[in-house]
Amino acid sequence: VIYGCRMQIVVTRSVAGDLVCLATDLHAQDACWMYRLRWSVECTFSSMKSRGFDLERTGMTQQGRLERLFGMVTLAWVWCLRVGVDGAPKCPIPIKAHGRKALSLVTAGWECLAHALRWARPARVTFVNLFTTGFSAPGAPGG
């Protein structure tokens, strides 16, 4: 019992083999499913904030401007993800000594996109086409 709530510890391994420990009041299977969904949201916000676009450092306080900024950062994030997903089969992300990828798909996409926008004019067309073409999420049917 923690702060008056009955909790249980759920311990499992991810598909990648990482140990995952959760303290929850949910059923074990529900907790794992919810955590998987939450983790993707956490990673998205992390790359929009301090590990990527630095969104939290804005000095803006007006709601309308913040909404537009968040919308633009979201579009930029999706574009970087799209470029990263498209480029992953062609140029795999290196694996570090500890077994994890050196870059996320978003960061890899960001680097490719930044290079193309600065230096590689022919690649710009490809990346603009990727931005305007729909795609399924990785792991989804058709993705």
Side-chain angles (χ1 to χ4, degrees):
V1 177
I2 301 173
Y3 295 113
C5 296
R6 187 169 179 81
M7 305 290 282
Q8 63 180 337
I9 303 295
V10 178
V11 181
T12 187
R13 290 217 178 260
S14 71
V15 175
D18 296 325
L19 190 62
V20 179
C21 301
L22 306 171
T24 182
D25 61 347
L26 298 173
H27 184 272
Q29 288 177 331
D30 293 337
C32 291
W33 181 78
M34 292 294 289
Y35 184 77
R36 211 173 294 124
L37 291 176
R38 180 184 167 97
W39 186 247
S40 65
V41 172
E42 291 292 332
C43 290
T44 300
F45 281 130
S46 176
S47 65
M48 286 183 166
K49 292 170 55 179
S50 59
R51 289 187 15 208
F53 290 92
D54 233 2
L55 185 61
E56 77 277 13
R57 291 186 49 130
T58 182
M60 291 184 194
T61 57
Q62 293 180 352
Q63 182 178 346
R65 289 182 179 179
L66 282 169
E67 288 173 358
R68 285 190 295 278
L69 176 63
F70 190 75
M72 294 302 292
V73 169
T74 301
L75 285 173
W77 184 89
V78 169
W79 196 9
C80 290
L81 175 63
R82 176 66 178 164
V83 169
V85 167
D86 185 68
K90 299 170 197 160
C91 182
I93 298 171
I95 305 295
K96 289 189 164 188
H98 53 60
R100 298 188 190 274
K101 291 183 178 182
L103 305 170
S104 69
L105 287 172
V106 175
T107 303
W110 169 266
E111 289 182 0
C112 289
L113 188 56
H115 181 267
L117 293 175
R118 283 188 213 140
W119 312 111
R121 187 173 182 91
R124 289 182 206 167
V125 175
T126 302
F127 293 146
V128 168
N129 288 339
L130 281 175
F131 185 66
T132 59
T133 303
F135 73 105
S136 300

